[in-house]
Amino acid sequence: LSCFHDEGLMQLAVKNYELRQAIFKSELEELKRWCKDWGLTDMGFGREKTTYCYFAVAASSSLPHDSAVRTIVAKSAILVTVADDFFDTKGSLDELESLTEAVGRWNGKGLSSHSKTIFDALDNLVRDMTEKHLHQQGSDITNDLQDIWYETFASWLVETKWSRIGYIPSMHEYLDTGMISIATHTLVLPASCFLNPNLPKCKLKPSQYETITKLLMVIARLLNDIQSHQKEQEEGKFNFVSLYSKENPGADTEDSISYMTDIMDEKKKGLLEHALMDGLDDLPKPCKHLHLSCFKVFQMFFNSGNRFDSNTELVHDINKAIYIPLEVQTSKPLKPLPPHAGPKKGNSTMNTHFDQLYKPRVKPSFTMHWISPKIRDGSGKMSISLKLKLCFF
């Protein structure tokens, strides 16, 4: 493995890449079956983001470990997307109030149509998580998970009522609700119960979120608002961008975004400190790293545009990561040194001979160009760079 041209190392890297793709494909197909079985695929409104949600968590997690964690986060993200769209675009106020009340008492009796589909899928997800946790950890987290989801649904209902009655909240009031409605805590906290070491049951309480969780919630909300403010303004809605302009006469959109960026920079620094430094909280490291992964996902979706709402923005990346096989071509290995050339210090003859055999045409560099992997996309060939490490992101 000390030789950069070792063919065995190249073969190992290719096999590792193929293993990851096989895992990705299997888990994604199972996730699609789950969505179809519970009626989430054919809702007929909103965004169908099954593949995007799975790709997001798979791209930011380790392999082949933590399959259960990836599945939990992906299913939760799909339900968040579907339910959020139902509150924003489809459901009547009576339907939304009934659905939120059903989640509060965790009983879907009386629900119908889309409300029943959403509740039944959510109930299946929570039941599956609680059964696994009871079997693995010996403790029942049913009420804790139900409380987190109810808090999230309640925040969506509050925002919907604000919008439909024309109520304009203050920035502080909006952010208190918006950091919950973005639902990042709904993704990372339940999934963290299945990490090793896992998140303690007491950390699931909505009123006792750790600092790193609150930082993630605020950052995700501001990232989302910066990229979606124009769309929401066209729809007659408000978010933090428009609220800042309203509370600061004379401030325009650029001023609002600049103010939000300053807040995010401070919050990001705090998030990184809590995720990577010891002694700032007592969360297990895997849980803190999952928070960091979620932060990276929101950066990917909303850092320079709203990639999540686009139906094409991530398709190429997803195809490379999951579906397109590698076609690898390697150079010939280096010739061995002559038998008489031993590794003697100060052997000018050997050094001269080595320089003549392997003298580079350009200044030596640690950047290697001897690998030229290729992939097929169905219409031709495309070259990509393959980095030999345990993750391709």
Side-chain angles (χ1 to χ4, degrees):
L1 299 182
S2 62
C3 179
F4 289 112
H5 293 254
D6 184 64
E7 294 292 337
L9 181 60
M10 185 63 204
Q11 292 171 10
L12 181 63
V14 172
K15 289 296 183 182
N16 182 60
Y17 192 93
E18 292 173 347
L19 171 64
R20 295 169 186 279
Q21 284 192 316
I23 294 173
F24 281 148
K25 290 176 186 176
S26 176
E27 292 180 352
L28 179 55
E29 289 307 311
E30 178 61 31
L31 188 62
K32 289 179 177 179
R33 283 193 293 270
W34 179 81
C35 290
K36 187 172 182 61
D37 290 345
W38 289 99
L40 299 175
T41 305
D42 305 315
M43 296 292 278
F45 66 88
R47 299 163 291 180
E48 204 294 306
K49 294 295 180 179
T50 301
T51 303
Y52 270 36
C53 290
Y54 176 77
F55 172 73
V57 62
S60 61
S61 68
S62 60
L63 282 170
H65 308 293
D66 300 333
S67 175
V69 173
R70 285 195 299 276
T71 301
I72 289 169
V73 174
K75 287 182 178 180
S76 300
I78 292 166
L79 277 168
V80 165
T81 303
V82 171
D84 185 47
D85 286 346
F86 184 55
F87 274 78
D88 279 347
T89 63
K90 186 68 176 180
S92 67
L93 194 56
D94 287 341
E95 287 178 313
L96 301 180
E97 288 178 337
S98 296
L99 176 56
T100 304
E101 291 171 1
V103 174
R105 65 178 185 270
W106 211 264
N107 187 329
K109 185 177 180 180
L111 297 178
S112 60
S113 188
H114 298 308
S115 296
K116 180 173 175 54
T117 298
I118 293 170
F119 180 84
D120 288 347
L122 176 60
D123 182 54
N124 171 262
L125 172 61
V126 171
R127 286 178 183 272
D128 183 56
M129 284 192 286
T130 54
E131 289 174 3
K132 287 180 179 178
H133 194 270
L134 185 62
H135 175 73
Q136 295 176 7
Q137 307 295 336
S139 60
D140 188 359
I141 57 173
T142 301
N143 292 335
D144 304 289
L145 298 185
Q146 291 175 355
D147 287 346
I148 288 178
W149 277 102
Y150 174 65
E151 180 189 45
T152 305
F153 273 76
S155 70
W156 291 332
L157 182 61
V158 168
E159 291 181 341
T160 300
K161 287 182 175 180
W162 284 349
S163 177
R164 298 193 182 184
I165 67 175
Y167 175 74
I168 307 297
S170 66
M171 289 192 299
H172 180 76
E173 187 180 10
Y174 169 79
L175 195 56
D176 281 347
T177 300
M179 63 185 286
I180 297 171
S181 67
I182 198 66
T184 50
H185 68 303
T186 315
L187 306 180
V188 299
L189 294 181
S192 295
C193 294
F194 299 89
L195 295 170
N196 186 23
N198 65 303
L199 180 73
K201 182 177 182 292
C202 63
K203 300 295 185 181
L204 285 172
K205 296 296 182 182
S207 61
Q208 301 173 13
Y209 294 140
E210 295 289 334
T211 299
I212 188 174
T213 303
K214 294 177 181 177
L215 289 169
L216 175 63
M217 295 161 74
V218 171
I219 293 169
R221 168 48 64 195
L222 296 180
L223 277 170
N224 179 277
D225 280 15
I226 287 175
Q227 299 303 335
S228 61
H229 74 91
Q230 185 172 356
K231 173 187 173 183
E232 292 183 344
Q233 185 176 6
E234 293 172 354
E235 295 174 351
K237 300 177 182 178
F238 56 81
N239 69 16
F240 201 90
V241 175
S242 56
L243 291 176
Y244 179 85
S245 299
K246 179 177 177 59
E247 293 189 18
N248 295 271
D252 56 18
T253 299
E254 291 184 1
D255 295 327
S256 299
I257 294 176
S258 177
Y259 175 75
M260 295 166 69
T261 301
D262 289 341
I263 296 176
M264 284 194 297
D265 288 343
E266 179 185 352
K267 301 298 184 183
K268 289 176 185 178
K269 181 180 178 182
L271 176 65
L272 292 174
E273 289 175 347
H274 280 269
L276 303 176
M277 296 176 62
D278 296 328
L280 296 181
D281 54 52
D282 57 352
L283 289 181
K285 280 188 178 181
C287 177
K288 294 194 288 186
H289 291 169
L290 186 59
H291 280 72
L292 184 58
S293 295
C294 188
F295 163 67
K296 292 192 293 183
V297 166
F298 270 80
Q299 286 273 66
M300 176 183 72
F301 282 141
F302 301 110
N303 192 45
S304 58
N306 191 339
R307 304 182 78 191
F308 187 75
D309 284 351
S310 170
N311 292 325
T312 60
E313 190 76 21
L314 291 174
V315 170
H316 181 63
D317 292 332
I318 292 171
N319 285 336
K320 286 198 301 181
I322 302 178
Y323 296 109
I324 302 175
L326 284 175
E327 188 175 288
V328 182
Q329 177 183 350
T330 61
S331 64
K332 294 181 180 180
L334 288 174
K335 297 179 181 179
L337 293 175
H340 64 275
K344 297 180 180 180
K345 293 184 179 180
N347 190 334
S348 59
T349 303
M350 187 273 286
N351 291 339
T352 301
H353 184 64
F354 183 87
D355 291 342
Q356 291 174 349
L357 285 176
Y358 303 107
K359 183 178 180 181
R361 295 181 180 179
V362 296
K363 184 177 181 180
S365 170
F366 287 104
T367 302
M368 306 304 293
H369 299 282
W370 55 275
I371 298 176
S372 179
K374 296 182 178 179
I375 55 174
R376 299 178 186 273
D377 61 2
S379 61
K381 294 185 177 180
M382 181 182 303
S383 297
I384 62 170
S385 297
L386 178 63
K387 297 181 178 179
L388 301 182
K389 55 184 184 179
L390 295 180
C391 185
F392 44 77
F393 292 101

